[in-house]
Amino acid sequence: MKESATTTRPKRSGAWDVERIRSRFPALSEDFGGRPAVFFDNPAGTQVPESVIDAMVDYLRRRNANSDGVFETSRRTNEVIDQAHQAAADLLGCRPQEVAYGANMTTLTFHLSRSLAHEIGPGDEIVLSRLDHDANVAPWMLLARDTGATLRWIDFDPQDCTLDLEQAASLINSKTRLLAVGYASNASGTVHDVRRLADWARQAGALSFVDAVHYAPHGPIDVKEIGCDFLACSPYKFFGPHSGLLYGKRELLERLPAYKVRPASDALPERWETGTLSHEAMAGVTAAIDYLASLSVDFGSAPPEASRRSRLLESWRLIQAWEKGLIRRLMEGLTAIPSLTLYGIFDPQRIQERVCTFILRHPDHDPLQLAKRLARHNIFAWDGDYYALEPARRLGVDDKGGWLRIGLVHYNTPAEIDRFLEVLDSA
């Protein structure tokens, strides 16, 4: 499938150049009260490259119409839709018919949960993780409430915020109908062994759902290798516009009832895409995925003629190598401030088990105070629980303002980390 016409590249350098990467993101050079901002609020939504903005404007200027008409702008819209499904398929490692677009991951998950109610009833069990965002908890809690199914919870180690896999293995049994687990925690940054968990679910005859929202900006996703039945993520977390993606195995998307209006197509993936989609957002998602693929050509060894999937995999290798350095620097800086309470994995030998997201507390300043202090220095970070309700309760901070969360991606720099640590340490 042809790449976005608005994708632009710097001259190939053959080496990672974060400043040239940052130059593609207008927000990173925006003047916020006299100096550029440090965007450490990425887990709630990343900034977007110029090519994404251009693609969305181009759609609204030259292609804006509803789909499936006989006139030119409608035909152009159909092309945008087809390109967006192919791009998402290349990102996730599946077929275009297996990816549905929607408003966001949460809406798509609730839609799916309603359909799965036809497969679940009293006596059945649903296994959830206590380390997940509520978008991967509440839909299944309501599904259990409505069907009479029983909820089972996988606990986590409060010391390093890793899932108790031994307990998970004991919970998944012949009564299990669904396992829902996150790829990475949006609080602690822990990466979970979703392949093993999905395999256990399959052996028990259960379906598996993976929330990949927080992992998607940090590493490659291969739904076939994971072996999951469903996976959801949000493009606005991986440098695109606000939108949602739902992968499902073709046989399941065809078998399960889809709640839609009567005239809507029953073909895949349209039967899961209720109402008129945000076509401009779909154009932006394609551009975001093309941006990611371009990194391997501009700063790696991938040839331009390579498939988008292979270029994406090389880009993720480069991104993860850069982010590992950021993780090490942030780990060293945070552990050097003795007054902080830190959560999650802080062993340098286990960097591959986490992404560059950190949560912390200070005994003398609540998370909101810390976030305000950072904001005065144009360092953007979140306070609260970020909808990670179960982790906040398990760690005893649900009634104490949650945590301060610092989340970095590949456009962040060591200098930004040093600036953040200086302000934090002064507290």
Side-chain angles (χ1 to χ4, degrees):
M1 185 61 72
K2 186 178 179 181
E3 291 189 10
S4 167
T6 55
T7 299
T8 58
R9 298 193 184 98
K11 184 178 179 181
R12 184 166 180 162
S13 65
W16 189 263
D17 187 337
V18 70
E19 293 304 324
R20 294 177 70 180
I21 289 168
R22 288 173 63 85
S23 70
R24 300 189 185 188
F25 290 80
L28 301 186
S29 58
E30 181 74 13
D31 187 335
F32 292 90
R35 65 187 306 186
V38 173
F39 290 95
F40 282 180
D41 62 330
N42 297 296
T46 55
Q47 299 305 307
V48 300
E50 190 80 54
S51 58
V52 170
I53 300 169
D54 290 345
M56 297 177 72
V57 171
D58 177 73
Y59 173 80
L60 292 170
R61 178 176 288 138
R62 301 179 55 246
R63 310 165 194 274
N64 193 20
N66 217 317
S67 59
D68 299 326
V70 297
F71 48 92
E72 181 59 24
T73 51
S74 184
R75 286 196 292 266
R76 292 179 182 182
T77 289
N78 286 342
E79 291 177 357
V80 168
I81 293 171
D82 290 343
Q83 290 170 3
H85 284 105
Q86 182 61 62
D90 291 340
L91 180 77
L92 302 179
C94 62
R95 293 174 286 186
Q97 298 83 1
E98 294 179 306
V99 185
Y101 275 78
N104 48 62
M105 174 269 182
T106 305
T107 300
L108 288 166
T109 304
F110 272 111
H111 185 181
L112 178 63
S113 70
R114 186 179 186 189
S115 298
L116 287 176
H118 293 264
E119 308 261 316
I120 295 173
D124 293 335
E125 296 181 355
I126 299 171
V127 178
L128 306 179
S129 155
R130 287 210 185 276
L131 204 50
D132 272 32
H133 186 288
D134 211 54
N136 198 29
V137 174
W140 315 122
M141 293 181 72
L142 295 174
L143 173 61
R145 182 199 67 183
D146 295 345
T147 61
T150 300
L151 291 177
R152 303 295 186 196
W153 294 91
I154 305 171
D155 201 1
F156 65 91
D157 184 344
Q159 298 300 314
D160 63 3
C161 295
T162 56
L163 287 180
D164 186 340
L165 293 182
E166 184 176 339
Q167 183 203 26
S170 68
L171 291 177
I172 301 171
N173 56 54
S174 60
K175 294 182 180 181
T176 307
R177 291 295 172 266
L178 175 70
L179 163 72
V181 66
Y183 206 141
S185 167
N186 76 310
S188 66
T190 312
V191 177
H192 307 141
D193 192 347
V194 291
R195 181 178 179 181
R196 182 185 298 187
L197 290 162
D199 186 52
W200 288 343
R202 184 171 56 255
Q203 292 175 23
L207 298 174
S208 57
F209 178 96
V210 174
D211 172 4
V213 170
H214 193 67
Y215 182 77
H218 302 288
I221 297 173
D222 189 331
V223 294
K224 303 303 181 185
E225 183 180 351
I226 295 170
C228 56
D229 296 292
F230 304 98
L231 181 143
C233 58
S234 299
Y236 72 96
K237 302 293 181 76
F238 59 82
F239 320 105
H242 287 86
S243 181
L245 299 177
L246 172 68
Y247 156 80
K249 288 182 177 177
R250 182 167 188 164
E251 57 269 27
L252 292 172
L253 295 181
E254 290 177 336
R255 188 189 82 212
L256 290 171
Y259 288 82
K260 61 185 183 64
V261 295
R262 288 173 294 175
S265 172
D266 206 40
L268 292 180
E270 291 91 343
R271 70 193 305 259
W272 292 90
E273 296 176 330
T274 55
T276 300
L277 298 170
S278 173
H279 302 136
E280 62 271 28
M282 298 178 82
V285 173
T286 300
I289 295 170
D290 284 340
Y291 157 74
L292 287 167
S294 75
L295 297 178
S296 61
V297 177
D298 299 331
F299 306 106
S301 58
E305 64 274 13
S307 70
R308 179 159 47 197
R309 176 67 180 174
S310 64
R311 285 181 283 127
L312 282 166
L313 294 176
E314 170 66 6
S315 292
W316 288 124
R317 185 187 68 79
L318 298 171
I319 288 171
Q320 289 186 317
W322 177 254
E323 289 190 358
K324 282 181 180 178
L326 299 179
I327 292 172
R328 288 191 185 95
R329 197 180 192 101
L330 194 49
M331 276 184 174
E332 292 172 0
L334 291 174
T335 54
I337 304 176
S339 57
L340 296 179
T341 300
L342 305 174
Y343 301 81
I345 295 171
F346 274 82
D347 181 352
Q349 302 303 314
R350 298 174 61 193
I351 284 179
Q352 71 279 2
E353 298 177 46
R354 63 141 54 245
V355 296
C356 203
T357 301
F358 294 80
I359 50 175
L360 57 92
R361 287 183 59 86
H362 189 284
D364 300 323
H365 305 277
D366 66 35
L368 178 57
Q369 289 175 320
L370 291 176
K372 287 181 176 179
R373 184 183 185 89
L374 292 169
R376 288 196 293 270
H377 293 266
N378 270 5
I379 301 172
F380 299 170
W382 278 101
D383 67 282
D385 60 29
Y386 339 108
Y387 287 14
L389 300 185
E390 294 299 326
R393 291 170 179 168
R394 179 70 174 85
L395 294 171
V397 301
D398 54 317
D399 59 349
K400 300 176 182 178
W403 310 274
L404 178 74
R405 181 176 66 179
I406 308 302
L408 284 67
V409 291
H410 70 272
Y411 55 57
N412 290 120
T413 68
E416 290 180 319
I417 293 175
D418 294 344
R419 180 175 158 191
F420 157 73
L421 291 170
E422 181 181 356
V423 174
L424 183 66
D425 193 29
S426 69

